[in-house]
């Protein structure tokens, strides 16, 4: 039996309150702008790795009255999505459990298949893209956006944040993922057999007080009390004291009026 990516991967972030606080700030506008011009009412859409459900809810409103399905890989993640959709009043979205490596849908089922920050966490992104293409209808689109951690940059240049990035990338790879996924999306799409692909990139920039508190404040807590904190200490990658120092660096950065952080994302549109 062929092993699926999720049999060899672990979701690095987990679902701690500090993680979800950050993820709930994601919207279709700030996270799927490259896709929005292609959407219209009545489309059917699959959102793979729907997470906190905020992007899913926005997409559902944009394609209404089209049917939207949200997919997550574990019962815990399904519950997170359902709670987010309920909070957004998006009660018509169907939520399913399933694996992107073996999607539980027939061929040619959706006009749009979307995944945000998913492929960086799967063991075989090419297999995942083949599946997403399989369930997309001819004339439809597969839309994927993933961060590229090696492309992150910030000011001031704090040693604690440099160490945070080193540890995050090591932890993600230990979990079977690829944190520098953004730059690889086009190659993965070609590997999956896509012949018509539009590639682009975009950034999130945190530079005002509210944005710094969101990004820096949540990471100051995540590095101490989330799945990655547990992984780093239990594996011996970092000590608790080191994580405390990283947390302080995040708080220092968030409080600095000169603080600036840019996150690079790669994007692809596969025209099926």
């Amino acid at each position: 039996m062929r092993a699926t990516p999720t049999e060899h991967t672990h979701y690095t972030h987990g679902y701690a309150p500090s993680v979800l606080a950050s993820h709930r700030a994601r919207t279709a506008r700030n996270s799927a702008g490259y896709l929005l011009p292609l959407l219209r009412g009545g489309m059917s859409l699959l959102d793979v790795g729907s997470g906190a459900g905020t992007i899913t809810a926005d997409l559902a409103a944009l394609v209404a009255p089209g049917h939207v399905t949200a997919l997550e890989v574990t019962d815990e993640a399904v519950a997170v999505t359902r709670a987010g959709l309920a909070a957004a009043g998006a009660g018509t979205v169907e939520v399913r459990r399933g694996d992107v490596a073996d999607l539980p849908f027939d061929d040619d089922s959706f006009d749009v298949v979307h995944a945000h920050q998913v492929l960086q966490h799967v063991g075989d992104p090419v297999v995942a893209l083949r599946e997403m293409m399989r369930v997309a209808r001819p004339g439809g689109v597969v839309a994927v956006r993933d961060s590229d951690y090696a492309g992150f940059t910030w000011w001031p240049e704090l040693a604690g944040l440099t160490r945070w990035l080193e540890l995050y990338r090591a932890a993600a790879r230990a979990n079977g993922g690829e944190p520098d996924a953004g730059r690889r999306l086009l190659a993965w799409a070609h590997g999956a057999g896509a012949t018509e692909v539009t590639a682009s990139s975009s950034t999130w920039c945190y530079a005002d007080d509210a944005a710094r508190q969101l990004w820096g404040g949540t990471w100051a807590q995540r590095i101490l009390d989330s799945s990655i904190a547990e992984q780093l200490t239990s594996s011996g990658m970092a000590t608790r004291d080191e994580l405390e120092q990283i947390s302080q660096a995040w708080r220092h950065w968030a409080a600095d009026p000169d603080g600036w952080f840019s996150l690079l994302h790669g994007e692809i549109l596969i025209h099926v």
Side-chain angles (χ1 to χ4, degrees):
M1 178 180 294
R2 177 178 59 84
T4 62
T6 49
E7 289 176 332
H8 298 298
T9 57
H10 173 75
Y11 182 49
T12 303
H13 297 292
Y15 303 98
S18 56
V19 175
L20 294 179
S22 176
H23 290 184
R24 288 182 184 124
R26 298 173 179 176
T27 66
R29 182 176 180 180
N30 67 30
S31 300
Y34 70 108
L35 169 63
L36 300 191
L38 301 182
L39 300 181
R40 63 180 185 275
M43 282 181 156
S44 59
L45 184 146
L46 171 64
D47 193 20
V48 176
S50 44
T54 50
I55 299 174
T56 318
D58 284 353
L59 295 176
L62 291 169
V63 302
H67 183 72
V68 173
T69 303
L71 188 82
E72 268 294 358
V73 71
T74 66
D75 289 338
E76 180 183 17
V78 164
V80 167
T81 292
R82 284 187 172 139
L85 291 171
T92 61
V93 175
E94 178 186 8
V95 184
R96 297 275 300 273
R97 176 176 174 175
D99 191 328
V100 68
D102 187 18
L103 292 171
F105 307 106
D106 293 336
D107 296 357
D108 308 337
S109 291
F110 301 96
D111 297 309
V112 179
V113 182
H114 170 261
H116 185 259
Q117 313 297 355
V118 172
L119 294 192
Q120 64 187 278
H121 298 293
V122 305
D124 193 335
V126 171
V127 168
L129 283 169
R130 284 190 190 125
E131 274 294 277
M132 294 170 72
M133 292 164 61
R134 177 185 66 79
V135 302
R137 292 177 179 139
V141 65
V142 173
V144 176
R145 185 176 192 250
D146 267 278
S147 297
D148 195 301
Y149 278 74
F152 289 10
T153 186
W154 59 85
W155 183 263
E157 294 177 342
L158 302 174
L161 299 193
T162 299
R163 182 59 175 152
W164 161 79
L165 185 58
E166 292 172 351
L167 287 172
Y168 179 84
R169 293 172 76 209
R173 289 185 171 130
N175 288 333
E178 175 47 71
D180 304 340
R183 69 190 64 191
R184 293 169 164 83
L185 292 181
L186 181 59
W188 288 342
H190 289 156
T195 57
E196 187 177 350
V197 187
T198 302
S200 58
S201 66
S202 61
T203 62
W204 289 333
C205 185
Y206 299 98
D208 60 36
D209 289 343
R212 285 194 304 274
Q213 287 304 314
L214 171 68
W215 183 243
T218 55
W219 261 112
Q221 189 169 355
R222 288 164 71 172
I223 200 63
L224 296 177
D225 185 23
S226 71
S227 292
I228 191 171
E230 181 180 353
Q231 177 187 356
L232 291 172
T233 54
S234 64
S235 67
M237 290 183 187
T239 65
R240 182 69 183 183
D241 285 346
E242 186 173 16
L243 298 188
E244 292 280 1
Q245 292 170 16
I246 293 171
S247 178
Q248 286 302 315
W250 274 116
R251 295 188 188 282
H252 179 83
W253 175 83
D256 190 333
D258 295 331
W260 180 93
F261 202 113
S262 180
L263 286 73
L264 176 66
H265 306 272
E267 303 158 343
I268 53 169
L269 292 168
I270 299 174
H271 306 277
V272 179

